[in-house]
Amino acid sequence: MKGEELKTRYSQGERDFRQINLVGVNLKRVNLEKVNLAGASLACADFSYAFLYESNFSDAFLYSANMKYVKLGKAQLVNSDLTKSDLEGSFLVKSNLSGAKLSGAVLSGVNLRGANLEGINLCGANLSGINFRSANLKNANLRWANLSHARLNEALIQGAFLTGVNLSNAFLMKVDLHGMDLNGINFSGATMKFANLSSADLTATNFSGANLIFTDLKATIMNGSNLRDAVLISSDLTAAVLTRADLSYAVLTDANLSKTNLNLTDLHKADLSGACLEEAYLWKADLSEANLDGADLSGASLRGAILDGVDLRNTNLTGAMMPDGTVN
C-alpha cells in the first residue's frame, strides 16, 4: 500500500490497518490519530512530526524509522521493534512500550512521562536529559546507560538493572530504591529529596554534591561512599554503615545518625548541628572543624576521633567515650 492510499482510506473513516506493509512510506506530518498499525511492516518509514495520539503500533516493525518529534501520547508500542529508529524529541507521554526493542535508537529529548517501560532494554543508551517522570521502569535494563540530568521523579524503578548507570545531576525525588544494589553508581549532583534508599547497598557510591534532604537511608551500606558537599538535612541514616566514607563539608543538620557506623569517616567541616548521633560509632573519625552545635552524641564512641577546632560547649556528650578512652 502507498502512503496516499492509506491517508485516503483513513479520511473515509477506516482505522484498522493491522499487519500492513508500509516499508519506507512517507507519512511525514500526517494526522493518523487512533490508527491501528499493530504488526505492520514500517521499516525506514518517515513519521516525523506526525500526530499519532492513541495509535496502536504493538508488534510493529519500525526498524530505522524516522519518528522525530512525533506525537504518540497514550500509544501502544508493546513489543514493537524500534531498533535504530530516530525518536528525537518525540512525545510518548503515558504510552506503553513494555517489551519494545530500542537498541541503537536515538532518544534525545524524548518525553516518556508516565509511560510503561517495564522490562525494556536500554542497556548502554544515551538518555541524558530524558523525561521519565512517573514512568514504570520496573525490571528495565539500564546497565551502563547515561541518565545524567534525567527526570525520574516518582518513577517506578524497583527491580531495574542499574550496574554502571550514570545518574549524575538526575532528578530522583520520591523514588523508591530500597534494598537495591546501587554499588558504585554515580549520583553526584542528583536531587533525591524524599527518596527511599533504606537497606540499599551503596558501597563506594558517589553522592558528592547531591541533595538528599529528608531521604531515608536507614540501614544502608555506604562503606567508602563519597558524600562530600552532600546536603542531608533531616535525613534518616539510623544504623547505616559509613566506614571510611567521605562526608567532609556535608550538611547533616537535624539528621538522624543514631547507632550509625562512622568509623574512620571523614567529617571534616561537616555541619552536624542539631543532629542525633546517639550511640554512633566514630572510632578515628575526622571531625576537625565540624559544627556540633546542639548535636546529641550521648553514648557515642569517639575513641581516637579527631576533634581539632570543634566547639563542644553545646553538645550532649552524656556517656560518650571520648578520644582518649575516658567516658564522659
Side-chain angles (χ1 to χ4, degrees):
M1 183 184 290
K2 302 294 184 181
E4 290 304 315
E5 181 184 350
L6 173 67
K7 288 188 278 188
T8 298
R9 288 166 60 176
Y10 181 88
S11 67
Q12 293 171 348
E14 191 172 346
R15 297 291 182 270
D16 193 350
F17 299 96
R18 281 176 287 183
Q19 299 185 337
I20 201 167
N21 187 345
L22 288 166
V23 173
V25 69
N26 184 357
L27 291 168
K28 189 174 183 178
R29 298 185 186 279
V30 75
N31 184 344
L32 294 173
E33 183 180 3
K34 297 183 179 179
V35 70
N36 186 357
L37 288 163
S41 297
L42 299 162
C44 300
D46 187 353
F47 285 100
S48 58
Y49 298 93
F51 189 88
L52 299 162
Y53 203 77
E54 293 188 67
S55 297
N56 186 359
F57 284 87
S58 294
D59 299 300
F61 185 65
L62 288 150
Y63 181 91
S64 201
N66 184 354
M67 311 284 282
K68 292 177 73 171
Y69 299 100
V70 70
K71 302 294 183 185
L72 272 164
K74 295 185 179 179
Q76 294 296 318
L77 291 140
V78 179
N79 298 320
S80 59
D81 190 341
L82 290 153
T83 302
K84 294 188 177 181
S85 60
D86 189 348
L87 288 151
E88 180 186 352
S90 60
F91 184 87
L92 288 155
V93 170
K94 296 184 179 179
S95 291
N96 188 353
L97 288 95
S98 58
K101 298 176 183 176
L102 287 160
S103 179
V106 178
L107 295 164
S108 57
V110 175
N111 190 338
L112 285 154
R113 176 172 53 83
N116 181 7
L117 301 159
E118 185 167 0
I120 202 165
N121 186 355
L122 291 165
C123 180
N126 184 1
L127 304 167
S128 180
I130 201 166
N131 189 347
F132 278 144
R133 180 169 182 169
S134 301
N136 180 3
L137 287 156
K138 288 182 178 179
N139 304 312
N141 183 357
L142 296 167
R143 293 184 179 95
W144 310 108
N146 180 8
L147 282 159
S148 61
H149 299 277
R151 284 164 282 178
L152 288 147
N153 293 342
E154 300 183 80
L156 303 176
I157 310 180
Q158 277 296 320
F161 301 95
L162 298 169
T163 303
V165 69
N166 179 7
L167 285 158
S168 61
N169 299 298
F171 297 88
L172 293 146
M173 288 177 60
K174 297 184 179 180
V175 169
D176 183 5
L177 296 164
H178 81 273
M180 292 182 66
D181 183 358
L182 304 169
N183 190 322
I185 288 178
N186 184 4
F187 287 105
S188 61
T191 300
M192 303 182 73
K193 291 190 289 186
F194 299 101
N196 182 3
L197 293 158
S198 60
S199 301
D201 183 355
L202 300 166
T203 304
T205 299
N206 186 358
F207 286 104
S208 59
N211 185 338
L212 294 155
I213 296 173
F214 289 108
T215 300
D216 188 348
L217 291 155
K218 291 193 298 288
T220 52
I221 305 299
M222 302 181 79
N223 292 323
S225 290
N226 182 0
L227 290 136
R228 185 182 176 91
D229 291 311
V231 182
L232 293 129
I233 298 170
S234 299
S235 288
D236 191 348
L237 293 105
T238 305
V241 180
L242 288 128
T243 304
R244 296 184 185 276
D246 184 356
L247 281 156
S248 57
Y249 299 91
V251 182
L252 291 143
T253 308
D254 297 321
N256 188 350
L257 293 142
S258 59
K259 299 183 180 179
T260 300
N261 187 339
L262 294 157
N263 291 339
L264 298 165
T265 295
D266 186 354
L267 288 153
H268 173 65
K269 286 196 173 182
D271 186 352
L272 290 153
S273 56
C276 177
L277 290 138
E278 186 178 357
E279 297 184 32
Y281 300 92
L282 291 147
W283 178 72
K284 290 191 175 181
D286 183 359
L287 287 151
S288 57
E289 300 182 69
N291 183 358
L292 291 169
D293 184 52
D296 182 3
L297 279 93
S298 57
S301 176
L302 289 154
R303 183 149 194 157
I306 301 169
L307 295 170
D308 297 346
V310 178
D311 186 349
L312 297 172
R313 287 177 296 180
N314 194 32
T315 303
N316 184 358
L317 292 162
T318 305
M321 179 176 286
M322 302 308 290
D324 60 3
T326 61
V327 178
N328 196 52

